[in-house]
Amino acid sequence: LLFVQMRCIFACMNELAADEAYYRAWSTQLSWGYLDHPPMIAWLIAGSCALLGRSEFAVRLPAILLAGGTMQLAARAGGLIGISRQGQFRLQLVLFCFPILHVLGTIATPDTPAMFFVMLAMVAALQCLNSPARWRHWLLLGAAAGCAMHSKYTALLPLVAIFFYLLLHDPRRWYRSAVAGIVAGLLIAPLLYWNHQRDWLSFVFQFRHGTSADGRGWLINLADYIGAQLLVATPILAVLCVWLMIRLLRSSASPGQRMVSIASLGTLAFFALISLRYKVEGNWPVLAWIPAIILLASFLPTAGEQARRAARSGTILAAIASFVLMLPPALLDRVNPHTPLGQIGGWAHLARNIKSAVGDLPIICLRYQDASLFDLYLATDVPIRALRRPGDRLTQFDLMPISLPEGKFALVSDAPLEPGSRMTLLHGEDSIEVEVISATHHAVRVDELTIRGRFVAICRSARRDAATNGG
């Protein structure tokens, strides 16, 4: 309850980050799939905004409640692998200090529902191990797995580990695992059909995003991956969890502990292998860490004093990291301006400044993040959309039906625009050639050091035709 209350206060006091506004833009056009991710985050935001209106709190409330629910599910999973009631309370205290949960409960991203439903699937799987004759546990496992796949594609990794372990643990009950798999398959069938209709667009996009070469050596990528995970899970707790999971695989652990360990360690190992060739984002393996903390809590009552002392030190360090994440976003912007928390603030004021400068002209942005933020904070009937330059990646705005601007319009860019210059802009398979008439710079000060600014040009369309390369 304290965790939920703290996150609600943050949600009411701070503007949305760019990605949150992007997902909110999805929620205005509900679908069975989206280019970047499955649809769960958009569905949740749409339902919340329908009940509470158009606000930062409404966008973030589903993430806050699901992050709090993840803490409860973690305690339940701990009880199913033998953690006492007192141990479950200590587990929740550790999770309360864990920075991952504070991030997942602060920023509305697909990782939050994915974590919740993966934990729900893990609880159901542990119940299947303890009471295999009860069909409701297997049905719950299938339903949770389907919802997890509707949240984020990386949820497939721990889910595959869970299903395979259940199947190999007791092959005689293969038909129960099959029924759970059929339930999950029926739930994700609309998502698969949506992708099939669009030549598997979302799957191809995510595959290319996850296997894009950056020209760096494998050692640098691996070191970057390990360093990112030490920061995400905090160094002491991360090392303790990995050491424990490896130890559990080599010892006579309980079936529940072994299943949780395989699901968590297998996810981390998969991305470690991927990092040998490609760059792995720090949040991709985030689904592995909450189960790892559960295993750590189950181990500590029988561990030596040195391990318990290290766990206490790691929890204190995690609490400090979580406190830093609760600092004003402008302070975090000075530490790392590229983090979502550091980019919060100033955009509503900037959007109003730009709107007052361009009047009723349609507003076109060259960044999908800008279009998402301005569409939320202006709340105007004037169309606000994103077009892309040749070479820029596709976004969900390319799949949204819009009319390309005719005549004059305002173009918002993060780089200077020279009057008299021409450029080609793309939307899906359509293109438009525009000419810059005039250009100005608009900026607002968030605090003493942080300034948000964008270049705004008045443009006119010069020529419009179909793109020959299919966008």
Side-chain angles (χ1 to χ4, degrees):
L1 292 177
L2 179 60
F3 174 87
V4 170
Q5 183 182 18
M6 292 170 58
R7 297 299 93 201
C8 286
I9 292 173
F10 181 95
C12 294
M13 294 178 59
N14 293 277
E15 294 181 9
L16 294 185
D19 284 349
E20 293 178 287
Y22 187 40
Y23 303 138
R24 206 264 343 158
W26 297 3
S27 72
T28 62
Q29 299 187 19
L30 293 181
S31 171
W32 283 108
Y34 297 93
L35 174 65
D36 304 65
H37 292 290
M40 182 63 73
I41 186 65
W43 295 349
L44 293 171
I45 293 174
S48 181
C49 289
L51 293 174
L52 302 175
R54 184 188 184 116
S55 66
E56 293 93 347
F57 177 73
V59 172
R60 288 173 172 149
L61 182 60
I64 295 171
L65 296 179
L66 290 179
T70 298
M71 292 179 65
Q72 293 288 70
L73 290 174
R76 175 61 176 155
L80 291 172
I81 61 174
I83 301 179
S84 65
R85 293 287 294 177
Q86 185 180 19
Q88 294 174 43
F89 178 70
R90 290 176 178 171
L91 167 62
Q92 288 193 316
L93 284 178
V94 175
L95 292 177
F96 180 80
C97 298
F98 206 41
I100 288 176
L101 265 182
H102 283 277
V103 173
L104 296 182
T106 296
I107 303 293
T109 74
D111 293 290
T112 310
M115 175 63 76
F116 175 83
F117 288 115
V118 165
M119 285 306 308
L120 182 59
M122 191 164 288
V123 168
L126 290 171
Q127 290 174 326
C128 291
L129 285 175
N130 295 341
S131 304
R134 296 187 177 181
W135 276 102
R136 66 174 182 268
H137 300 327
W138 297 92
L139 296 177
L140 177 61
L141 171 61
C147 291
M149 286 302 300
H150 271 299
S151 301
K152 196 169 185 180
Y153 296 127
T154 53
L156 181 65
L157 296 172
L159 292 176
V160 166
I162 289 171
F163 272 88
F164 267 100
Y165 184 86
L166 289 173
L167 186 62
L168 296 177
H169 176 70
D170 190 356
R172 295 171 300 175
R173 301 186 184 275
W174 64 268
Y175 57 93
R176 296 182 184 269
S177 298
V179 169
I182 291 172
V183 171
L186 290 175
L187 286 178
I188 65 173
L191 173 63
L192 296 176
Y193 182 68
W194 182 91
N195 273 278
H196 171 68
Q197 286 184 311
R198 293 159 179 81
D199 296 325
W200 307 103
L201 180 65
S202 184
F203 293 153
V204 171
F205 172 83
Q206 285 295 337
F207 177 79
R208 290 177 177 174
H209 181 51
T211 58
S212 56
D214 57 4
R216 305 190 307 174
W218 68 269
L219 187 58
I220 296 177
N221 278 338
L222 180 61
D224 184 67
Y225 168 72
I226 294 174
Q229 296 314 300
L230 291 177
L231 289 176
V232 166
T234 65
I236 299 176
L237 292 180
V239 172
L240 274 176
C241 288
V242 172
W243 166 76
L244 173 62
M245 288 187 290
I246 295 175
R247 175 176 173 174
L248 287 175
L249 292 179
R250 299 172 58 187
S251 65
S252 56
S254 68
Q257 288 178 317
R258 192 177 293 274
M259 183 189 70
V260 175
S261 179
I262 291 174
S264 179
L265 193 60
T267 302
L268 293 173
F270 174 84
F271 284 112
L273 290 175
I274 292 294
S275 71
L276 297 179
R277 291 197 62 184
Y278 312 107
K279 177 176 173 57
V280 174
E281 300 293 340
N283 67 305
W284 290 356
V286 71
L287 299 178
W289 289 112
I290 303 298
I293 293 295
I294 298 173
L295 290 174
L296 182 62
S298 70
F299 167 75
L300 288 179
T302 58
E305 181 58 31
Q306 186 175 3
R308 288 196 291 269
R309 190 182 304 115
R312 284 193 293 269
S313 300
T315 303
I316 293 172
L317 181 60
I320 294 173
S322 297
F323 173 77
V324 170
L325 292 175
M326 288 185 282
L327 293 174
L331 293 178
L332 298 176
D333 180 63
R334 302 171 196 174
V335 178
N336 187 351
H338 301 293
T339 61
L341 289 174
Q343 296 173 2
I344 292 175
W347 299 109
H349 190 187
L350 179 62
R352 289 191 292 268
N353 281 0
I354 293 175
K355 180 64 173 65
S356 63
V358 303
D360 294 330
L361 289 177
I363 299 176
I364 301 296
C365 301
L366 294 182
R367 300 177 76 248
Y368 68 89
Q369 299 95 331
D370 293 349
S372 303
L373 287 164
F374 293 170
D375 182 60
L376 171 68
Y377 286 118
L378 290 185
T380 177
D381 293 332
V382 175
I384 302 173
R385 284 295 180 259
L387 300 181
R388 55 191 172 85
R389 291 157 289 201
D392 291 348
R393 77 170 182 88
L394 285 171
T395 72
Q396 184 60 33
F397 283 102
D398 286 282
L399 306 185
M400 295 180 179
I402 67 168
S403 297
L404 293 178
E406 300 284 353
K408 289 185 179 181
F409 62 93
L411 185 66
V412 180
S413 171
D414 56 347
L417 299 168
E418 294 296 330
S421 61
R422 290 194 174 197
M423 68 180 75
T424 300
L425 300 180
L426 306 176
H427 175 267
E429 296 183 353
D430 294 332
S431 69
I432 181 174
E433 188 171 319
V434 302
E435 179 183 1
V436 179
I437 301 174
S438 62
T440 59
H441 181 258
H442 295 264
V444 297
R445 185 178 295 276
V446 180
D447 66 354
E448 293 80 4
L449 295 178
T450 304
I451 298 177
R452 309 292 189 204
R454 285 293 182 265
F455 297 90
V456 181
I458 305 301
C459 302
R460 61 186 171 200
S461 56
R463 180 173 55 85
R464 176 183 176 183
D465 57 12
T468 57
N469 61 357

